Amino acid sequence: GVILLGDSIRVGAAASIERLKTRGAKVILASGDRPNPVRETAEALQIAEYYPLSSPESKLELIRKIQRANGVVAMTGDGIND
């Protein structure tokens, strides 16, 4: 037998991301998860830029890099290491 576990995308997430995009926000997905699930989630939510296998430290560096280039960053997380 095979057991397959996975997370589901929260109801309303796609609509929320679309609203952000229509307001000019660039949406990026950074996750500590493996590449395939992160890619699948990004594709399902129409997020073009994504970073799998991201540690809390690499997420912070990504935020700092975006801040240096663009100034304003809003970040949300789903766990205590975010």
Side-chain angles (χ1 to χ4, degrees):
V2 174
I3 297 175
L4 179 62
L5 301 175
D7 293 325
S8 59
I9 296 173
R10 206 172 269 191
V11 174
S16 295
I17 289 169
E18 188 57 35
R19 278 194 302 276
L20 288 168
K21 289 179 179 180
T22 61
R23 293 180 178 168
K26 179 177 181 179
V27 178
I28 298 170
L29 173 60
S31 173
D33 292 338
R34 293 180 322 253
N36 284 342
V38 174
R39 178 186 43 78
E40 290 168 3
T41 300
E43 288 174 356
L45 295 172
Q46 298 181 354
I47 299 173
E49 189 174 345
Y50 57 92
Y51 300 89
L53 302 173
S54 297
S55 66
E57 295 80 17
S58 66
K59 291 175 187 177
L60 178 59
E61 181 53 37
L62 177 62
I63 289 168
R64 287 180 174 155
K65 177 182 171 185
I66 296 168
Q67 285 175 324
R68 286 190 297 271
N70 302 310
V72 177
V73 173
M75 189 267 191
T76 185
D78 68 350
I80 60 171
N81 66 350
D82 294 320

